[in-house]
Each structure stands twice: as structure tokens, then as C-alpha cells.
């Protein structure tokens, strides 16, 4: 039976190979075979391809030429350019050698009869028995992947497996594709998944590591973890000294409470916690000396604080009296305070409303490695912009202060609504 001839969208030749063009090797013939209209996609150009990805895939094929063993290229996204890769990296995908990788349940991925080519798989794993809050997010990613124009080209696989160190069973929904040796076509499809499914910015600087480089980086991470978690075993006299120091601080705490120094008492508790944490994180005797010196410094400060508690209370009482007099003399001040309170309540409510429509965006940021602190900072900045749009640029220091309070309230409303729900 004569095989249908397909016109290759890449080189224009008439190809009988419906997997990779027999003339230029392009996998775009698969789109024609599946009846996918390429004119509505970005698969014909490299405009949307992440920087460095094509070169990394070429290097993968070059390494395959030199060795018959497994060859991998890990694709990592580093959310902050100011930190070391091993301290803050996120593995987003791995490109394997054709015929050298398996599905999550251990079954081999067999997509062709060649051992030189590029294979990638994407997994969407959910708990097999018990539902977990993360399952909903995984399913949303799964549906976004299924909506891609390239989705019909992937080979699906479903399996059950257990992750190392976990007692839970997972049901994996996996999809793999063998790109052959079409580096550019592979880069275009991989870029589409990373951008549209995992939300990585198209101008992001990705990091590409070969199998040997990944082993080196993993070793670095293990060494850093061991170094951070290492705790010094103190000698008998060091333990005695630490206990005496803590006892002295507790005596000062008791004395300040009896003399009415509530603020000073809270300060001592905080300093005590920080000091103990510091000494147990240090790896030399200097940690113990640091704690002792810290105790002496704050002992002097506590004595001074206790001697001025009565004066502070007197000043506080006087300040309250003056404040009441000012309120009587200037009744409009209360109106201004009410107006300010309404503005800040409006900011909080606005942030809460905006959070309801931003869940997918925030999830994308979290996948990229952003922390709650990072997101809070973004929303604070958005609060400033909202204030300027609504009330104009602040012209006085009081307006500047109100703008900052407005921004904080907006961020507070956004964060509480977003992460509570």
C-alpha cells in the first residue's frame, strides 16, 4: 500500500515519513498528519523559544554521538538572578535520550526504534486514594496542557506508583514525545509548555545542565544542607555556662515584670530566644562568648529601663491628657481620622476583591519560586499605584504616610483572602 505524501511545512519537500521529514528532519509533518492548522500557531518560528534552549538540545545530541550511555539535559528556572543556582533552583523539565527513560511506574517509554534523539515527558500526578489540596492545582495544570495545540502529538500513559520516602500512592497522568533530532521543533514545543502551562516568563533566563553537571549541583546542595543542619556538641562547662546565662536573663525578666516594665520584659524574651538560637547555630566557642556578651549588654539596658519606667508611665499619662484636650479643641480632627479610617478600610476591601480573580496568577508565581513575602511586596506596590490613581500623587509627608498605610492595607486584604481560600 502506498504511503500518503505530506508536504513538509519546514522545508517544503514532499515527505512520506509522517514522524520526521526525511529531508530536513522536522517534526512539523506530524501536525499536518494530525490535521492541525499551523498558521494559527507559533511553531513555525523560534520567536517564542527560551534563550539558550536550542544550543542546550544541540549539545545533548552531540553528547549522544560520543556515548552510548544515558544522556540528559535538565532545564531549571532560577527565580532570582542574585542567588546561587544550588540555593534556589526549580527543575521544570528534563530532556532524555531516545529509548533511555521510563514512565513514573517504571514502564519503559518506547516511542521509536532509534537510540539517538530527544525525548521529554510531562507528568501530572495526583493522590490515588486520599484527596489533597494540591490535586486541584495539578488538575488545572493538566487541563491547560490538554488545551495546547501540540497536545495530540504526545503519547499518553497512566500508572500507579509510590514516591521514595512517601507512604502515599500516586496516579500519574503522563505524556511523552520523541522529537527525533529536530532540535528547533523540540525547542518550540518545550517552550510552549513551559510558558502556557507552567507560567514561566518568555524572557526568563533558564539554566541547562547536563547529567554530569546535575550530579555536581546535587552534591553541592547536599553539602550545604549538611553544613546548615550541623549542630555543635558543647562541652560540660559550655552547657553550664549557657544554663547560668539563661538563668540570669530570666531573673532580669522577673525583676522587670515586678517593676512594671512590660515592654522591657517582652524585649528580654525576644533577645533570649535570638541569643539561644544563635549559640546553637554557631560552630565554635565564639557562639557561647557571643551569648554571654549579649547578656551583659542587655543587663545594663534592663537596669536603665527599670529606673525610667515610672517616668515613662507619667509621660504616657500626660500625653493622653494632652490628646484629649486637643480633640476637644479641634473637633475636625476626629472627622479627619474617620475619613482616614474609611480610606484604609476601602484599601483592605479592594485588595480582598482583587484576590478573588488572581488565584491562577499567584499559583504561577509560586511555581516559579516566589514566596509569600515576595507576593506581599508586589501587592504593596500595587496598593501604592491604586492610591495614586484614586487620590493623585502625594504632596505632603502626611499624604506619603497615608499612601504607605493604604498600600499595606491593600496587601493585607489581598494576602488574607488569597491564602485563606
Amino acid at each position: 500500500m502506498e504511503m500518503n505524501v505530506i508536504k513538509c511545512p519546514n522545508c517544503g519537500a514532499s515527505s512520506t515519513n509522517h514522524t520526521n521529514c526525511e529531508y530536513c528532519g522536522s517534526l512539523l509533518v506530524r501536525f499536518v498528519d494530525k490535521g492541525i492548522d499551523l498558521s494559527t500557531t507559533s511553531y513555525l518560528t523560534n520567536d517564542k523559544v527560551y534563550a539558550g534552549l536550542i544550543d542546550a538540545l544541540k549539545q545533548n545530541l552531540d553528547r549522544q554521538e560520543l556515548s552510548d550511555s544515558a544522556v540528559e539535559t535538565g532545564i531549571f528556572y532560577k527565580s532570582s538572578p542574585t542567588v546561587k543556582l544550588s540555593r534556589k533552583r526549580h527543575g521544570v523539565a528534563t530532556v532524555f535520550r531516545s529509548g533511555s527513560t521510563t514512565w513514573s511506574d517504571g514502564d519503559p517509554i518506547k516511542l521509536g526504534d532509534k537510540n539517538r534523539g530527544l525525548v521529554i515527558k510531562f507528568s501530572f500526578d495526583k493522590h490515588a486514594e486520599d484527596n489533597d489540596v494540591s490535586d486541584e492545582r495539578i488538575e488545572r495544570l493538566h487541563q491547560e496542557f490538554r488545551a495546547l495545540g501540540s497536545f495530540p502529538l504526545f503519547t499518553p500513559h497512566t500508572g500507579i506508583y509510590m514516591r521514595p520516602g512517601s507512604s502515599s500512592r500516586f496516579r500519574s497522568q503522563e505524556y511523552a514525545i520523541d522529537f527525533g533530532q529536530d532540535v528547533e521543533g523540540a525547542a518550540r514545543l518545550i517552550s510552549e509548555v513551559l510558558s502556557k502551562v507552567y507560567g514561566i516568563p518568555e524572557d526568563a533566563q533558564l539554566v541547562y545542565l547536563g547529567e554530569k553537571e546535575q550530579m555536581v549541583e546535587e552534591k553541592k546542595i547536599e553539602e550545604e544542607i549538611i553544613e546548615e543542619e550541623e549542630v555543635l556538641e558543647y562541652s560540660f562547662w559550655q552547657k553550664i555556662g549557657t544554663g547560668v546565662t539563661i538563668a540570669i536573663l530570666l531573673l532580669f525578666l522577673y525583676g522587670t515584670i515586678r517593676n512594671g516594665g512590660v515592654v522591657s520584659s517582652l524585649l528580654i524574651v525576644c533577645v533570649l530566644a535570638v541569643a539561644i538560637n544563635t549559640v546553637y547555630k554557631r560552630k565554635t566557642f565564639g557562639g557561647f562568648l557571643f551569648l554571654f556578651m549579649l547578656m551583659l549588654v542587655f543587663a545594663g539596658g534592663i537596669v536603665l529601663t527599670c529606673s525610667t519606667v515610672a517616668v515613662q508611665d507619667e509621660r504616657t499619662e500626660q500625653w493622653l491628657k494632652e490628646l484629649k484636650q486637643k480633640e476637644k479643641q479641634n473637633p475636625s480632627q476626629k472627622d479627619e481620622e474617620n475619613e482616614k479610617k474609611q480610606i484604609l478600610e476601602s484599601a483592605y476591601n479592594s485588595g480582598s476583591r482583587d484576590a478573588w480573580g488572581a488565584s491562577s496568577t499567584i499559583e504561577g508565581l509560586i511555581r516559579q519560586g516566589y514566596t509569600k513575602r515576595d507576593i506581599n511586596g508586589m501587592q504593596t506596590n500595587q496598593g501604592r499605584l491604586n492610591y495614586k490613581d484614586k487620590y493623585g500623587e502625594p504632596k505632603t509627608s502626611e499624604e506619603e504616610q497615608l499612601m504607605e498605610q493604604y498600600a499595606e492595607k491593600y496587601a493585607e486584604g489581598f494576602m488574607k483572602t488569597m491564602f485563606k481560600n
Side-chain angles (χ1 to χ4, degrees), residues 106-167:
D107 290 347
I109 297 179
K110 298 180 179 179
L111 299 179
D113 55 359
K114 297 181 180 180
N115 65 348
R116 184 169 184 262
L118 305 170
V119 172
I120 194 170
K121 70 172 179 177
F122 295 100
S123 302
F124 304 92
D125 303 341
K126 297 190 295 184
H127 290 75
E129 284 89 12
D130 301 326
N131 292 328
D132 187 85
V133 292
S134 63
D135 292 341
E136 295 182 6
R137 178 180 61 83
I138 296 299
E139 183 57 29
R140 283 197 296 269
L141 294 178
H142 185 199
Q143 295 307 318
E144 289 173 4
F145 179 81
R146 291 173 60 87
L148 296 176
S150 58
F151 174 74
L153 306 183
F154 286 84
T155 298
H157 180 83
T158 301
I160 300 293
Y161 74 101
M162 292 185 67
R163 294 175 181 171
S166 173
S167 59

Side-chain angles (χ1 to χ4, degrees), residues 208-224:
Y208 310 99
L209 299 178
E211 56 279 355
K212 293 182 179 179
E213 296 168 313
Q214 292 184 63
M215 291 175 63
V216 172
E217 289 299 329
E218 291 297 333
K219 185 176 180 181
K220 285 183 181 179
I221 294 175
E222 291 176 2
E223 290 175 350
E224 289 169 359

